[in-house]
Structures are given as C-alpha cells and as structure tokens.
Amino acid sequence: MQKLGYPSRTMIVFAAALAMAVHGYVQPFGKEWLWLGYVGVLIVASGLVGWRTLQLSRARARSAAVLGALDAATLEIPVNLRTRMPLVLVIGDALAALFDRVPDEARLVFIGDGAIWLRVERAQDLPEVALAMRQWRDGQPPDGVVLSVAPALHVDADALAQRLRVARQARADAARLTGARLPAYVAVYQRLTRRASDAGAALQWHGVSTNAAPIDAQRFEAVIRHAEGDAVDHDHVARAAALASVIGWTQRVVFGTLTDPRQPATPWPLYGAGWIDCGPASDAGKPWEQEVQRQTCVAPARVDASPAPWPLPQPLIEALPRRRVASPRAAACGHALGIAALAAAVAFFGAGRHNADLIERVSADLTRYTQLTPDQDAARRDALKALVADRDELDRYARAGAPLRLSLGLYRGDRLLLPLNTAIASYQPPLPPPAVVTLDSMSLFDSGSARLKPGSTRELVAALDMIRAHHGKRILVAGHTDNAGSAAGNLALSNARAAALRDWLIEASGLPATQFAVQGYGDTRPIAGNDTEDGRAKNRRVEITLVPDTASRPD
C-alpha cells in the first residue's frame, strides 16, 4: 500500500512558487534583485526537492525488508488504528532472542499488547528506518527507541561503550531526520542468579519509567529498595543484591556513556530503564561479573543462557509519552497557512518600503524645485521636468490603480498630487530680454570715425548689463548710417563701428568672441526719412540684439 505521509516536496514547491510570486509582483528587495532572486529560489527549491527525494528513496531502500514485514504483520489492522498504536524501534544486543516469538522467517516485527515492536538489526540503520516508519504511519514518527543491553555478550566494558556511543549517535540522527523527540529506553538482560527462572510470570522486570526525561537517579534507589523488600528467602536476597549491583554498574557504564555531555551527539533522553533476570550465558570474564569480583573479591558463578524468547520490556513503555495524532495533510495545511502568512508579511513589508521610497523621492523633487530661485531658470526647468514625470506617474496610478508593489492597502501617493500640481502651475518663465538695444552713433563716434569717443562708455552701461544678465546668449552687433556719402563708404563705416563696439563689449564683459557677431548695413535699413536732419540722426545708429534660443517651457 502506498503511504502518503507528509507532503514535504509539495510544500517545498508551494513555498517556492509563493516566494517567486511575491518576489516578482511586489519586489520587496528591489527590481535589481529580480532575476537573481528567481534563480536563487529555483536552485534552492530544486536542491531541497532532490535532497528530500534521495532521502526518502534511500530510507525506503534500506528499510524494504522491514516495510514488507510490517505490511504482512499489520495486514488486518486498520490504518487509523495502526497510526495510533505505539511503535517502538528496538536496537542493541540479542535481538534474535527477543523476536524469536515471531512466526515468520524474518522475525522483524512483533505486535504485542498495545504496541508494535520493530527490530533494527544495525544501530546505524536507525535514522533511515525511523524515517521510513514516519512515511509508513501516514506522517507519525516512531513513539520510542529501546536499547537492549546484554552485558554478557561483550568482552569488556570498552567494547560495550563503543556500541553505546554508536547507538547514541544513531538515535540523535533519527530524531533530527524525523523531526521528533524519540523517547529512549534501556532494557538490561542479565542473569542475576544460577537458579533458572520459571517461564511466564516468574520473569519480572525491575525498573522505572516516566513521561518526562531525564529520570532522577533517586528513582533507581527506589527500585533497589523495592526488590530488597520483596526478598523472602535466600534466592530472593541474592537476586536483590545482584540487582542492586547491576543497577549501579548500568548507571556508571551505560547511562554514563549515553548521557556524557562531552560526546558530540545529543545526550540520550532516558525515559525509562529496566532490568530482568534473563539473558545470555555468563561467567566471571564478563564486564559486570568482573566489577563484582573487583568489589567483593568473589567471582560470580557461571550461569546458562535463558531460553528464547526473552520478554520484551512492555512495562517500560506503559508510561510512553502520547503524541497528539494529527493527519499529515492537516499539518501540511497548517504549515501552508504559516508559509502564506510569512509571504504576506514579506509582501506588506515590500509594499511599505516601496511606498516610503516613492514618497521620499517625490518629496525630494518638490523640495529641490522650491529651493531654486527664479534666476536659476535652467536648473528650475530640470527640476520641473522631474515634477511633471512624478505627476504623470501618480496620475496614472490614480486612474488605472497602483501596482501590487505599491498597493496592498498601503498606497499613499494620491495625497502628493495636489502639491505637485500646485508647484507645476507656479512656474513662471523669466521675462524675455529686450530684443534690441539701440545706441546713437553720434554719441559714440565722431562723424566719419569708427573710434569710440572718450567717455562714451556711459552710453554702453545698459547694453553691458543686458549682456551680463543673459551671458549664455549670442549677441549681434549691427551698424547703420544715413544716406550721406557713397553707399560703399557707408557700408564700410557701419562695419567698422560695429566691430569697434564688439571689441569693447568683449573686453568689458569677459565673454568669448565666439558669442558675438558683427554686421554692417550701411544706409540700407533706415528707420526714418533721410530728407530731414532729425530723420538722418535716427538712421545713424548701432543696434545690439540678443539672439533668442529655442528652449520652451515644459508642459
């Protein structure tokens, strides 16, 4: 049967699509990051989907035998019940003896009273098996891990400590991979007396379990006192003494290794521990027996192995912390809502940032325009163009609606339209310069001469002020005469007087000669009749004209 489990890859694709939509429409980090953001999201999402696919495939491949045995053993158990029954992974020593009760050849699964026990032969496979169990149980991780410890199967305490460190690392990796806390238990199988226990009820677990870790060491003392209180004969007293010794040894050797803070893996979260007078054959050369001999100088007698199957530590998991069973689809919906809320928060953040940038930009354009004086007309025209562009942009938003990167209920650009229109309407172009300044030639030159009279510069002050006020314009200096004399002589005289006046203006204004042009018209352009003295006086003149530019006022 195909197990759906938590749709992790679908959630990755959903989050990536939402991130790309927010990044594309709202652009919370600016347009310059647009394509880089798209590429980054695609790379990350593809990598996560590929990594998760490989992870699940590897877990299913390594757990194929376990999954097959589970399907066969739970064929008649409804899926809803299967996800609610506690599922415990068993690692460590003597797993064959523990699962010898299973009728199938693999002997991997045992469905006991209220729990599914699953055998994990190698501790290194625990992370992949735990992940496969999460998929098999429709998104629910295993409920716990039991470490079986049979001290008599180890040559010395160092070899046992090494196996314990491997188990500790494997449980930490499994918890990380499944995202679950995975409560841990220790079951110690050790023959305590030479007298063989009767089958069934005669085998009794001595231990403690809780729904919160770690277990207080004082509770182990209570186990010892309880065993001593039940001692009614010599055999029970001997068993109680051996139990007290093996509990102390377990605390030092087993628990010390599993919870040592100096080890790199997460300490073993001990929710329960139990001891039973059952286990493999043992003699004086085994780790616990060697410690007893060092402390008492008495070598424990050799004992034979207990017949299989050995009892599973069912009493330990009776206090197993119960998880709230939730459908992985429901969990995915909750996570999707959380992702959507995060995307909405990023979108609101981006829209708020863009609105702040818009208001700051338009306000800066308004401030720059208002700080320019009328005599800075060129700079005012540039600032006015920026205001017109701002006004057109905001007007477009008012008519067609603001884009998503500015909207989401945060758009405030409409309040800037009135000050923009007011500022644009307030622009007044500077008054045009006088078209022509006419100077009387007789006040500047002697009759028939092109040399400026001494003191004639007073007549040129007005012309010089006009030129300085419009220093960027081109200047045409034109000479005119009356009709007295020859036409050729009058033309030459008008050219010479215009050139003399131009030279003086260049020197006085400091402007380059390229801004000046000289033109002599002689008597060809009279402004009055030459038949009277008054008319001829008006015709003898020099005209200074500013050539107008083609700049126009912005709309």
Side-chain angles (χ1 to χ4, degrees), residues 1 18 26 36 50 62 76 100 102 109 168 179 184 198 266 285 345-346 359 415 424 451 478 515 538 540 553:
M1 178 186 300
L18 203 57
V26 182
L36 184 61
R62 293 187 178 181
E76 299 181 358
D100 189 45
V102 184
V109 182
R168 170 176 172 170
D198 297 333
T266 304
V346 174
I359 293 175
R415 65 185 181 183
I424 293 171
R451 182 186 296 273
Q515 282 189 233
K538 290 180 179 180
R540 295 189 297 269
R553 181 179 180 269

Side-chain angles (χ1 to χ4, degrees), residues 240-266:
L243 177 63
S245 175
V246 78
I247 288 177
W249 176 86
T250 304
Q251 287 182 274
R252 291 189 300 274
V253 176
V254 179
F255 298 163
T257 303
L258 294 176
T259 60
D260 186 359
R262 295 171 296 180
Q263 297 296 323
T266 304

Side-chain angles (χ1 to χ4, degrees), residues 250-314:
T250 304
Q251 287 182 274
R252 291 189 300 274
V253 176
V254 179
F255 298 163
T257 303
L258 294 176
T259 60
D260 186 359
R262 295 171 296 180
Q263 297 296 323
T266 304
W268 191 271
L270 188 62
Y271 280 74
W275 296 263
I276 192 170
D277 187 5
C278 173
S282 181
D283 55 39
K286 302 303 181 182
W288 172 61
E289 286 81 352
Q290 289 178 352
E291 181 165 308
V292 171
Q293 186 173 1
R294 283 195 300 269
Q295 292 180 353
T296 64
C297 296
V298 176
R302 175 181 175 83
V303 293
D304 297 328
S306 301
W310 300 349
L312 289 164
Q314 178 69 39

Side-chain angles (χ1 to χ4, degrees), residues 24-224:
Y25 287 106
V26 182
Q27 301 171 13
F29 306 106
K31 186 179 295 185
E32 60 274 10
W33 294 95
L34 190 60
W35 289 109
L36 184 61
Y38 282 149
V39 173
V41 170
L42 286 174
I43 291 176
V44 172
S46 301
L48 288 176
V49 169
W51 169 77
R52 188 61 176 173
T53 301
L54 178 63
Q55 194 179 58
L56 294 175
S57 300
R58 183 182 299 170
R60 285 193 293 266
R62 293 187 178 181
S63 308
V66 175
L67 290 173
L70 271 172
D71 287 335
T74 60
L75 187 62
E76 299 181 358
I77 300 178
V79 175
N80 291 338
L81 179 60
R82 186 173 63 198
T83 58
R84 285 169 172 77
M85 288 183 65
L87 187 147
V88 181
L89 306 180
V90 184
I91 61 174
D93 302 329
L95 299 184
L98 296 179
F99 286 85
D100 189 45
R101 70 198 76 225
V102 184
D104 66 332
E105 296 181 359
R107 296 180 178 178
L108 298 175
V109 182
F110 174 71
I111 301 178
D113 295 335
I116 301 175
W117 300 84
L118 185 65
R119 171 181 175 180
V120 181
E121 191 66 35
R122 293 185 344 123
Q124 295 90 331
D125 296 334
L126 184 64
E128 286 78 13
V129 173
L131 182 60
M133 291 305 99
R134 179 165 186 164
Q135 291 294 108
W136 183 81
R137 299 182 78 203
D138 201 25
Q140 299 300 320
D143 294 280
V145 176
V146 171
L147 173 63
S148 169
V149 178
L153 294 179
H154 300 276
V155 177
D156 52 34
D158 291 338
L160 175 59
Q162 180 59 32
R163 289 178 62 90
L164 293 174
R165 283 190 285 267
V166 172
R168 170 176 172 170
Q169 183 65 55
R171 195 221 64 89
D173 293 341
R176 176 182 52 80
L177 200 59
T178 59
R181 57 184 176 179
L182 290 185
Y185 301 84
V186 172
V188 179
Y189 293 87
Q190 175 64 48
R191 291 294 308 274
L192 302 177
T193 61
R194 294 187 62 184
R195 180 178 178 180
S197 299
D198 297 333
L203 292 175
Q204 180 182 1
W205 280 98
H206 303 275
V208 59
S209 62
T210 179
N211 57 4
I215 297 177
D216 188 354
Q218 295 181 352
R219 302 192 64 176
F220 298 124
E221 299 295 332
V223 174
I224 297 173

Side-chain angles (χ1 to χ4, degrees), residues 279-521:
S282 181
D283 55 39
K286 302 303 181 182
W288 172 61
E289 286 81 352
Q290 289 178 352
E291 181 165 308
V292 171
Q293 186 173 1
R294 283 195 300 269
Q295 292 180 353
T296 64
C297 296
V298 176
R302 175 181 175 83
V303 293
D304 297 328
S306 301
W310 300 349
L312 289 164
Q314 178 69 39
L316 290 184
I317 65 169
E318 291 178 355
L320 191 72
R322 299 299 180 184
R323 290 191 177 94
R324 182 176 60 86
V325 178
S327 168
R329 267 73 66 195
C333 289
H335 294 162
L337 290 176
I339 293 172
L342 177 61
V346 174
F348 277 107
F349 164 77
R353 178 183 173 188
H354 291 318
N355 275 281
D357 292 343
L358 174 68
I359 293 175
E360 182 180 359
R361 171 169 58 85
V362 175
S363 300
D365 290 342
L366 280 168
T367 301
R368 182 165 66 94
Y369 175 78
T370 56
Q371 289 178 346
L372 294 172
T373 58
D375 60 339
Q376 298 173 297
D377 187 60
R380 292 189 78 206
R381 284 175 177 272
D382 292 339
L384 189 63
K385 290 179 181 178
L387 293 185
V388 171
D390 293 339
R391 190 269 315 275
D392 292 344
E393 179 183 1
L394 299 185
D395 185 64
R396 184 172 65 255
Y397 295 160
R399 287 184 284 103
L404 278 177
R405 62 184 181 86
L406 291 171
S407 56
L408 300 178
L410 302 175
Y411 179 66
R412 296 293 181 270
D414 48 359
R415 65 185 181 183
L416 295 173
L417 274 173
L418 180 59
L420 278 173
N421 286 325
T422 302
I424 293 171
S426 68
Y427 174 75
Q428 294 294 333
L431 294 176
V436 179
V437 174
T438 303
L439 302 173
D440 182 11
S441 294
M442 300 310 296
S443 64
L444 299 176
F445 304 98
D446 291 328
S447 178
S449 172
R451 182 186 296 273
L452 289 170
K453 293 180 180 180
S456 62
T457 55
R458 288 189 303 240
E459 302 292 334
L460 301 175
V461 171
L464 187 60
D465 290 341
M466 178 189 69
I467 292 172
R468 286 174 174 169
H470 304 280
H471 60 274
K473 296 183 179 295
R474 296 180 62 82
I475 303 134
L476 174 63
V477 183
H480 301 270
T481 64
D482 56 20
N483 62 353
S486 65
N490 289 335
L491 181 61
L493 181 61
S494 63
N495 264 312
R497 286 178 173 176
L501 185 56
R502 177 204 57 191
D503 294 341
W504 185 89
L505 289 174
I506 291 174
E507 182 178 357
S509 65
L511 297 176
T514 54
Q515 282 189 233
F516 291 86
V518 173
Q519 181 66 54
Y521 292 99

